Amino acid sequence: MLSQKNRERFWVLYFGFAFFWALQAFALLGQWMHDKELQARKIDGRPYISDFVSFYGSGVLARQCLTKPTKIYDGPTQIELETKLTAPVVPEAPFSNPNTPVTFVVLLPLSLLTLDGAWITWGLVTLLASIGILLATFVKPLRHWFAKLTAVTAFAASYATWFSIRLGSTSCLLFPMVLSFFYFLKGGNLIATAAMACIGTIKLQYAPYLLSIGTARFGWKFPAVLAGFCAILLGICTAVLGWDNIVAFPQAFLTNEASSQIVGVQPEKMQNLRGILVLITGSDSKPIHYLSAGVCLTAAGCLFFIWKKLDWKDSVRFNLLASATVLLMLVSSPHTHTQDYILAFIPCLLLFLAADRNDTNIGTRDRLILKIAAVSFVYLSWILFFLDFLFRLCKIQPFALWAAVVAAYVLRLYFTTASTAPNESSNAGAI
């Protein structure tokens, strides 16, 4: 084990490298925006269109619905808008926009800004919200201000966070929502937990897990309250978009997921079971779709029974189970891309808090492994990105493999160990 002095040196180096790496990474985004290459550019002669073009287009189409009937899921309408937004770069294939009606409504205010202005606003608002919620929730047990600052810096410096902001992805909103969901879940706040799950419908692929966990905690009251929130949200979406667009969403979603002619799906790049199977088999077949959906529902069902037996006063076991849950959500969800691994910082933080205590019967070796897994992700995520070409040659989805291995290890600890005291450790966040 490191001496106190060497631990302090380690954390200073860890923080310093992460801070300046994040600074350079985000400065690169600024350079791309200055050069008009952030949202649309050519790489090796082929057009690359950022996901944010689709999200910004959602807001534009939603605003059009306020003045005239607009078919927001109509292919030609979406392509015409996309072509205008990406000019002079011309997309080589249609980028389908099957975003949920919630996404269209949430992003409507951004349509009042320019494309770049909307991207800056979305990135800043969601990043500041994430940092604020981090500091207000699970970062609290970290005693020293430098420990809190290091945690926030590590979050901002990870590749998944940078990539999510670079794309202007809805994962930027998903992170503070899921983090808040687990915080309110732990505190037993039914209304707030259900509200966070309702906001989570912006990414429908994760809804089964949140529904399962919330029901395990609160019983039938949770789906009832969640249904109430969703009904209100549906009413707002209907008022803005019109009922015809609401009923058109399921078909647009299913068509998007099943089509190989749409560039936005990219199942071969998904960091989940589906992506692994596509790499191995070479095709995104219907059996893979059915298997992925089945694994998703099975995982959600299993999590219900595991969470049902949790002692909610046991902070260590809560952190272990919440960590494993987020990782399983990423791996078993039928639609998980690299940007969704912004959620991986949640288990990294919770695992560090669980390991940085001496009032548990988690062994010294296991605690060290948990700490290494937690603090290394910020750098490991970039390594996995840089070596992506090599992993593809080996038919490996690196982020999915990492998540599956860590989830399996954490679940083993959860079922074989238990905290000896439910109170918060006085050692939390020592550096």
Side-chain angles (χ1 to χ4, degrees):
M1 297 293 289
L2 296 176
S3 65
Q4 178 62 26
K5 195 67 176 178
N6 285 335
R7 281 201 299 269
E8 291 176 359
R9 289 169 179 165
F10 168 79
W11 285 115
V12 169
L13 288 173
Y14 181 90
F15 165 79
F17 194 88
F19 177 80
F20 287 106
W21 184 271
L23 203 62
Q24 291 295 319
F26 284 103
L28 178 62
L29 297 184
Q31 182 64 50
W32 285 346
M33 185 173 65
H34 177 268
D35 295 340
K36 306 298 181 183
E37 294 183 340
L38 180 65
Q39 308 300 343
R41 60 187 177 130
K42 287 190 175 182
I43 302 177
D44 296 330
R46 299 185 63 183
Y48 173 84
I49 309 299
S50 172
D51 289 4
F52 190 70
V53 172
S54 168
F55 297 126
Y56 180 76
S58 297
V60 172
L61 292 174
R63 187 154 63 95
Q64 289 181 10
C65 290
L66 297 178
T67 56
K68 63 179 181 179
T70 302
K71 295 181 179 180
I72 61 175
Y73 294 113
D74 178 62
T77 300
Q78 292 184 354
I79 293 172
E80 180 183 1
L81 176 59
E82 178 188 352
T83 303
K84 290 180 180 178
L85 294 175
T86 60
V89 177
V90 180
E92 65 179 2
F95 193 109
S96 175
N97 184 348
N99 295 325
T100 63
V102 177
T103 306
F104 282 82
V105 174
V106 167
L107 297 178
L108 188 154
L110 295 181
S111 67
L112 300 173
L113 306 172
T114 63
L115 180 61
D116 285 342
W119 176 82
I120 293 173
T121 301
W122 179 253
L124 282 177
V125 169
T126 53
L127 182 60
L128 291 176
S130 296
I131 292 173
I133 292 173
L134 268 174
L135 293 174
T137 56
F138 293 107
V139 173
K140 278 185 176 180
L142 299 177
R143 290 183 303 160
H144 200 281
W145 66 268
F146 184 70
K148 300 177 190 290
L149 180 61
T150 300
V152 169
T153 302
F155 166 72
S158 80
Y159 172 74
T161 301
W162 177 87
F163 190 50
S164 189
I165 293 175
R166 184 260 180 276
L167 294 179
S169 171
T170 49
S171 299
C172 296
L173 181 61
L174 186 67
F175 175 82
M177 185 281 301
V178 173
L179 186 68
S180 300
F181 173 87
F182 279 106
Y183 180 75
F184 291 128
L185 182 81
K186 183 179 181 181
N189 190 326
L190 168 62
I191 302 299
T193 305
M196 292 301 102
C198 181
I199 296 173
T201 57
I202 199 169
K203 286 262 193 179
L204 282 178
Q205 61 266 43
Y206 302 113
Y209 307 96
L210 303 182
L211 175 61
S212 175
I213 299 166
T215 304
R217 177 70 164 106
F218 301 106
W220 64 268
K221 292 181 181 179
F222 181 79
V225 175
L226 177 60
F229 277 122
C230 289
I232 295 173
L233 193 58
L234 177 62
I236 295 173
C237 292
T238 302
V240 174
L241 304 175
W243 182 247
D244 288 344
N245 284 322
I246 301 298
V247 297
F249 166 69
Q251 182 61 41
F253 176 79
L254 293 174
T255 300
N256 179 81
E257 286 296 308
S259 176
S260 60
Q261 304 301 316
I262 296 174
V263 300
V265 181
Q266 297 182 307
E268 72 282 356
K269 293 185 178 181
M270 290 186 183
Q271 297 296 320
N272 55 3
L273 175 63
R274 179 182 174 185
I276 293 172
L277 294 175
V278 169
L279 272 189
I280 293 174
T281 63
S283 66
D284 186 35
S285 60
K286 284 189 177 181
I288 289 179
H289 293 174
Y290 296 144
L291 179 60
S292 299
V295 169
C296 169
L297 296 178
T298 301
C302 292
L303 287 172
F304 170 82
F305 291 105
I306 298 174
W307 279 95
K308 189 71 174 176
K309 296 181 179 180
L310 176 68
D311 177 2
W312 294 93
K313 295 180 180 180
D314 192 331
S315 296
V316 171
R317 287 174 67 77
F318 175 89
N319 286 357
L320 290 175
L321 184 54
S323 298
T325 296
V326 173
L327 295 172
L328 288 174
M329 284 169 56
L330 292 169
V331 174
S332 63
S333 163
H335 192 114
T336 302
H337 279 290
T338 305
Q339 58 266 29
D340 292 335
Y341 276 76
I342 189 175
L343 294 179
F345 189 78
I346 297 175
C348 288
L349 175 60
L350 296 184
L351 290 178
F352 181 85
L353 294 177
D356 198 41
R357 302 172 55 140
N358 53 20
D359 63 340
T360 75
N361 61 3
I362 299 178
T364 302
R365 177 174 172 274
D366 287 326
R367 288 167 59 191
L368 178 61
I369 291 174
L370 289 181
K371 283 187 177 182
I372 292 174
V375 303
S376 65
F377 179 74
V378 57
Y379 302 116
L380 180 64
S381 62
W382 286 96
I383 294 173
L384 296 182
F385 161 65
F386 288 129
L387 296 180
D388 180 67
F389 71 96
L390 182 60
F391 287 114
R392 291 193 180 280
L393 290 175
C394 300
K395 297 188 180 300
I396 295 174
Q397 301 290 12
F399 285 89
L401 178 62
W402 172 85
V405 170
V406 176
Y409 188 84
V410 172
L411 282 175
R412 181 189 69 80
L413 286 180
Y414 176 80
F415 287 116
T416 58
T417 64
S419 173
T420 58
N423 58 297
E424 294 295 332
S425 170
S426 59
N427 286 349
I431 60 172

